Every structure is written in structure tokens, then in C-alpha cells.
Amino acid sequence: MIKKIGKRTILTCMVIGFACIGIFCSFTNMQFSDKTTKIKDRPKIVNIVNFIRLLEPRDSLITQDVLYQTVVKQVEIMKKYKLGGTFLLQYDALIDPRYQKLLKELPADSFEIGAWWELPQPLIEKAGLKWRGRFPWDWHADIGFSTGYTPQEREKIIDVYMADFKKFFGYYPKSVGSWFIDAHSLNYMYDKYKIVASANCKDQYGTDGYTLWGGYWNQAYYPSRINSYMPAQTVENQLPVPIFRMLGSDPIRQYDTGLGSKRQGVITLEPVYPEAGGSATWVNWFFKEFVEGESMAFNYTQAGQENSFTWDAMSKGFEIQMPLIARLRDEGKIKVETLEASGLWFKKNFKLTPVTSFTANHDLPGGDLKTVWFNSRFYRLNLLWENGALRIRDIHMFDEKLPSAYTTQKATSNECSFFTLPIVDGYLWSKNEDLAGLRFKTIVDGKEILIKGGDPVISNPSEGKLLVSWPLTTFKGTLVIDISEKQMTVSITGENVGKWFLDLTAPKAENLPFKSVKSAQIDCEFEGLPYSLNAIAGSFSKPGNDNIFRMSPKGNVLTLDLSNGRNVK
């Protein structure tokens, strides 16, 4: 991410309390299980993506030569471990002869050169437009990104970039990445220049002024033609360019970091962060969960770093990650390839956005948190186990009919926001010590208590189905969650199973999307679009206390339709 560099404060923006990880034992010699699925069947894909800017106006010590030497070092260490990857060029770096020479010399069979879609002054002016930025490169959403320009202006900018890229490299780029790219630009790049892959930022709230919240959490998705952040549900309305989620987000802690503030911190695979991508403990933990956790169709992460951080800041993390990635590749546990190759593979294997998951069966040393993220073209779902209890931390629905204003209009501020349709939001609806979510409860001696249990078992028993089996201690039984593309079924099996239900609590209860709670349906509205949560088995109610609503099973089974009632195949 392009954190504020100034005094190098970027290295201190981690979540409070996470810094203590370093006191625990190192994972450097961690053993990875030999029971992982062969990558040819359900690959664990790693893209090493480094993107390149010519200059860094926020710090006078970061000269153009410092930035160039950073890329030289990245190339050097990738070659040392025989790792290919993708370099994405911002326009000011594209037209610099040093970068042209350096990148042209890379082996074409293992390296890819593509476009990084932030828009600096030389590109804007060559397109015949007036530069409005504070510096020759300005990271504000209405200046340095396509969202700051009209659709017609975006096309001119794209044509200039593509023409010069072809002049220097002899072909058009196949991959275009950015923290966010509007749908009009992506449509134009695909229709005219036949790009095959794109990449955008991980989910985050407010970081650098960019909010992407509620989307397909990891891996990749086909976006709606009218909303680049929204997964499409149908072939007719999707852009057939997969968008890969960048940065390798911590599946447990990234979501909650920054609670109580306007902007989140960063806990990702980016090697510049000393308590995450720059920590051997964190990196080995992340890749162990990445390789061994259930991911269904495939798993994905992006390694690498933009050169703005400089080699001095990223070298330790880079030198931790690259040999580990090479070892996992050599052991057949991951597939390392270019972003273009991943895009082509995705299009060959998936006509529509697939069902995937990202599972962390274990926590970092000293912790006991566990999580699973589930994604389909209809919704995303997050389960989090903490202190022996289970909370549904997040549910967001997807609807290709929800347009993004940026598709047809210019951004009107220096910040940018993309959202989907909330059902449960454990971040935006929470307070520091009072976290929103759906909690599993029962009644004992007239009092409501949390249902408790042991370690869950998460599996993929058949195509498109994620099965969670959670052995309980409150009852002599097992809570089973059967999750599929459109729905989720919860049941409890065992002896003397008491009454159970799920309650949604939300400390920040203002401006929630719920319009009415009926027995079989909850009606919602977000950004003017109506949508609904439907009970196929079980019912909804308002229990009359601080709960927003309650979900109760019928015959010990609760089944939710999470497709917004859509009947598409």
C-alpha cells in the first residue's frame, strides 16, 4: 500500500497489541503437512507482483535512483531463487529508458510486464488534459486514479498508455493492476486491448483514503460490467476479466484492526511491515495456513511490493519470503506464476466466479483464534472462533445490479469508496470493546449463554460445498454448518440438545440496512437498492432486547437463502 512515508512512519501502523508476536518462538523451520491437495487439482497460486513508480514526492531522501535500485534488487533476489513474476509499470516509469532496458532483459517465459494504473502528470498531459495534482504523481482518488476523470477522458488516457507501452515493448499489456480501477476503464481495456487479468486492493476501510469493503474477500472474481468491485451473478452481466485481490491479508486480524478510528492499519504479506510480511513468524504462519487450510476451488495470494517503500525498508521481508516461496514451489505445494498466467487459467476453468474459501485452522503462537472466509458470486461469509465461542463476523451479499457511481461519474473528493450489501458487519457496526456479529446461543437455567465448543473441522466434501463440524461442550453434540453457493444450513446433532438460536447484536445500531423483520424474510436497503435475507427453514424474530434480530431453527435446522432470492443458474 502507499502509506505515508515522510518519517518512515509506515512501519508503525500495525494494530495495537500485535507487536508482541516477536516474543514467541520462530517458525523458520516450520514443517508443512504432506497431506495437502496436489496443486494441479486445486492450486495454491502465488503471484509475485512488484509495481513501479518513477518518483516519490513525499520524501526527498527517496530519489529516482533509490527507486530504480529497489527494482534492481527485487529482480536480483527473484532470479537467485528462480522465481518468475510480474512487474507493473506506472506511466512515468514506463517511459524511463532505465526501466525499459532492465525489464526487457528479463526472461519472457517467467516474467511479465504489465500496467500499474495510477495516473501521473506526463500521462495526463500527453492525453491532452490539464494536470490538477500537487505533485507529478498524486495519490488522491480524484487526481491519480481513473475515477478522477470522465469516461471519455479515461479512454484517451488508456489509448496513450497502451500506444506507448506497445512502442516500447512490442505488444499491449495483458495485466493491469491498481488499488482500484473503475468499471468503464476495465471494460474499455478488455474490449479494445484484450487484457486478461486485473488486480485490486485487499478489503480495507479508509486506509490511504481508499475504502473497499464487503467484496469477494480473496482469490479472484468476475466483476459486474457496471461495478468493478461487485461480483457478477450472470455471464451476461459480467466482465470476463478476473480481478485478483492483492496484498495477502491476514485472515484473522486485518478485519478488526483500526476499530474505533477512521482508518484501518495494515496486516498483510507486504514485506515492509515488520510484524507481518517482514516477520519470519508471521510469514511462516501465513503460508502454512494458506497451503494447508481448506480453499475449495483454489487459493491465491500476492507477494511483492511497490518500489516506493525502498529496498532498505523491504529487504528483510523480501529475503524471508522468497526462499520460502521457492521451497514450497519445489515441494509441489504452491504454483508460482505471472498475473497473466493466473488470469488465463481462471478463464479456462471458470465460466462464472467460483466458490472458494480461505481457512486459518491455527492462530499465531499464543493465540487461539480460528477463521474461515467463504466466497461465492452471491455472497461472502466469515466465521471466527474466539475463546471457545463462534461468531459470524461478516456477511455481505452481492448484486450485479448495484452500480458504482465511478463507472459514469468523476470522483468528487480525494477519497474513494466501494461497498456491497451488508447483512452482518463486524467492523463498521462494532465499538472497541463491543463487537457486532451473529452469535450462537442457548438458554440454561433461564439465562441466555453462548454455545461453546472445541476445535472445528473444516472440509470440502463435494464440489462447491464447505462443511464446518464444530464439536460442542455446551451440549453433547456437534454443530454442523453446510455452506454452498447460495445458502447456508446450520444444525446441531447429538444428545439432549437444548433450544438454540443466533442473535445479531450491533453496538452501532444507527443507519443499519434493515427495513423490516418478518417471520421468513428480512427486508433491507443499501444505497437505494432493496435486497432480502430469506429463511428456507427456520424463522426470524425481534426478541425485544438489544438484539437487532434473532434466527431460530425449525426442527433443529436453520437454512438461509443468501442469494437475495435469485434463481439464476
Side-chain angles (χ1 to χ4, degrees):
M1 293 298 296
I2 48 176
K3 311 298 168 280
K4 295 182 180 179
I5 294 179
K7 302 291 185 179
R8 307 310 298 162
T9 55
I10 54 172
L11 302 182
T12 61
C13 64
M14 301 307 296
V15 61
I16 294 173
F18 196 49
C20 63
I21 293 172
I23 66 174
F24 294 103
C25 60
S26 171
F27 275 27
T28 303
N29 296 316
M30 175 181 291
Q31 297 299 309
F32 286 73
S33 170
D34 291 329
K35 297 181 180 179
T36 53
T37 305
K38 295 295 184 182
I39 60 171
K40 67 179 181 180
D41 299 319
R42 297 178 182 179
K44 315 286 187 175
I45 299 171
V46 176
N47 291 160
I48 303 172
V49 180
N50 303 298
F51 44 99
I52 304 171
R53 304 187 182 100
L54 178 70
L55 49 84
E56 175 47 74
R58 295 166 294 185
D59 190 335
S60 61
L61 296 178
I62 303 177
T63 65
Q64 292 186 26
D65 189 60
V66 168
L67 295 176
Y68 174 76
Q69 292 301 327
T70 296
V71 181
V72 170
K73 289 292 187 180
Q74 290 174 330
V75 170
E76 181 181 297
I77 195 169
M78 290 171 70
K79 285 184 173 180
K80 176 181 178 181
Y81 292 103
K82 298 181 174 58
L83 291 168
T86 297
F87 285 91
L88 302 178
L89 285 163
Q90 191 168 282
Y91 183 79
D92 51 6
L94 168 68
I95 60 177
D96 185 278
R98 290 196 300 176
Y99 287 111
Q100 295 169 17
K101 182 177 185 300
L102 175 67
L103 299 179
K104 281 181 179 179
E105 292 175 350
L106 295 177
D109 60 348
S110 54
F111 285 91
E112 172 196 11
I113 314 303
W116 181 251
W117 208 244
E118 292 180 39
L119 314 180
Q121 184 175 356
L123 176 57
I124 298 304
E125 291 181 341
K126 190 166 184 180
L129 305 174
K130 181 179 179 181
W131 178 248
R132 297 174 279 114
R134 300 163 296 167
F135 315 103
W137 165 63
D138 191 324
W139 52 92
H140 282 175
D142 58 340
I143 303 294
F145 292 86
S146 57
T147 48
Y149 302 86
T150 67
Q152 294 73 28
E153 290 171 340
R154 296 170 202 171
E155 293 179 8
K156 291 180 181 179
I157 295 166
I158 293 168
D159 288 342
V160 168
Y161 185 100
M162 293 295 184
D164 280 350
F165 190 101
K166 187 174 184 180
K167 180 174 70 174
F168 298 133
F169 290 101
Y171 55 88
Y172 293 126
K174 296 300 183 182
S175 298
V176 182
S178 183
W179 302 132
F180 48 90
I181 307 177
D182 70 279
H184 182 89
S185 294
L186 282 175
N187 284 322
Y188 188 74
M189 290 175 182
Y190 170 73
D191 292 337
K192 185 170 183 178
Y193 296 102
K194 307 306 178 187
I195 64 170
V196 300
S198 187
N200 67 7
C201 184
K202 66 171 174 56
D203 256 39
Q204 63 178 34
Y205 192 83
T207 312
D208 296 324
Y210 316 142
T211 293
L212 298 88
W213 197 251
Y216 196 99
W217 188 80
N218 195 57
Q219 283 96 321
Y221 64 96
Y222 289 122
S224 161
R225 279 271 189 177
I226 60 173
N227 189 336
S228 58
Y229 184 62
M230 181 72 72
Q233 287 74 57
T234 63
V235 170
E236 294 76 20
N237 292 317
Q238 76 182 12
L239 176 65
V241 174
I243 298 179
F244 291 82
R245 305 305 305 271
M246 298 180 72
L247 306 182
S249 191
D250 185 314
I252 293 176
R253 289 174 174 81
Q254 175 61 52
Y255 186 90
D256 290 326
T257 185
L259 270 175
S261 64
K262 293 182 179 180
R263 305 183 189 282
Q264 287 191 315
V266 181
I267 310 176
T268 68
L269 192 58
E270 295 170 89
V272 75
Y273 293 108
E275 307 296 345
S279 161
T281 299
W282 189 94
V283 168
N284 280 275
W285 166 78
F286 177 86
F287 274 105
K288 181 176 174 64
E289 301 309 308
F290 173 80
V291 168
E292 297 183 1
E294 182 55 65
S295 59
M296 306 182 74
F298 76 105
N299 211 350
Y300 173 82
T301 197
Q302 175 250 321
Q305 187 83 68
E306 72 251 50
N307 63 338
S308 295
F309 280 101
T310 78
W311 184 247
D312 285 347
M314 74 177 73
S315 60
K316 179 182 176 182
F318 222 85
E319 290 166 351
I320 289 170
Q321 292 183 27
M322 295 303 115
L324 175 61
I325 291 171
R327 175 166 68 85
L328 293 174
R329 174 205 58 196
D330 294 344
E331 292 173 354
K333 293 182 170 67
I334 64 173
K335 179 168 67 171
V336 182
E337 63 185 11
T338 64
L339 183 56
E340 176 190 1
S342 295
L344 292 171
W345 173 85
F346 190 97
K347 292 182 70 172
K348 179 181 178 181
N349 285 274
F350 306 114
K351 182 180 179 181
L352 292 157
T353 296
V355 176
T356 65
S357 60
F358 193 116
T359 303
N361 289 308
H362 310 92
D363 200 354
L364 285 157
D368 69 346
L369 301 176
K370 302 169 183 64
T371 198
V372 59
W373 287 91
F374 176 91
N375 303 287
S376 81
R377 59 189 162 124
F378 295 99
Y379 70 101
R380 80 173 191 186
L381 166 74
N382 179 237
L383 307 176
L384 181 72
W385 285 265
E386 48 192 337
N387 299 320
L390 171 60
R391 173 166 60 109
I392 296 180
R393 185 165 57 167
D394 187 280
I395 302 175
H396 279 76
M397 286 184 177
F398 306 143
D399 194 325
E400 63 192 13
K401 295 179 181 178
L402 180 67
S404 168
Y406 306 123
T407 303
T408 58
Q409 303 171 37
K410 293 169 59 174
T412 57
S413 77
N414 60 15
E415 300 196 355
C416 205
S417 299
F418 295 85
F419 294 99
T420 60
L421 307 176
I423 296 294
V424 179
D425 195 318
Y427 180 79
L428 293 183
W429 301 351
S430 293
K431 295 181 179 179
N432 279 342
E433 304 300 327
D434 194 356
L435 302 178
L438 274 167
R439 290 177 170 84
F440 292 78
K441 296 181 178 179
T442 188
I443 297 176
V444 175
D445 297 329
K447 294 182 179 181
E448 295 181 6
I449 65 168
L450 293 176
I451 294 175
K452 295 291 189 78
D455 292 335
V457 176
I458 299 165
S459 62
N460 177 207
S462 59
E463 185 175 355
K465 184 186 294 290
L466 187 71
L467 189 65
V468 179
S469 297
W470 183 35
L472 302 178
T473 54
T474 304
F475 307 124
K476 289 184 178 180
T478 301
L479 188 147
V480 178
I481 308 178
D482 187 332
I483 312 169
S484 59
E485 186 178 48
K486 293 185 180 182
Q487 65 185 44
M488 174 179 70
T489 296
V490 184
S491 61
I492 297 181
T493 61
E495 301 176 6
N496 302 317
V497 174
K499 179 181 179 181
W500 60 273
F501 47 89
L502 288 82
D503 280 345
L504 175 65
T505 57
K508 292 184 179 179
E510 64 277 6
N511 300 319
L512 298 186
F514 310 114
K515 297 302 180 181
S516 66
V517 177
K518 305 170 186 175
S519 176
Q521 181 172 301
I522 298 177
D523 296 316
C524 314
E525 184 176 317
F526 183 79
E527 293 191 348
L529 184 72
Y531 58 105
S532 64
L533 174 66
N534 298 285
I536 298 173
S539 61
F540 306 120
S541 63
K542 299 190 72 171
N545 48 28
D546 292 336
N547 299 327
I548 306 302
F549 57 76
R550 173 170 291 176
M551 301 179 175
S552 301
K554 180 179 180 181
N556 212 30
V557 175
L558 173 68
T559 300
L560 302 176
D561 174 10
L562 292 163
S563 71
N564 196 19
R566 298 175 71 93
N567 294 317
V568 298
K569 295 182 179 179

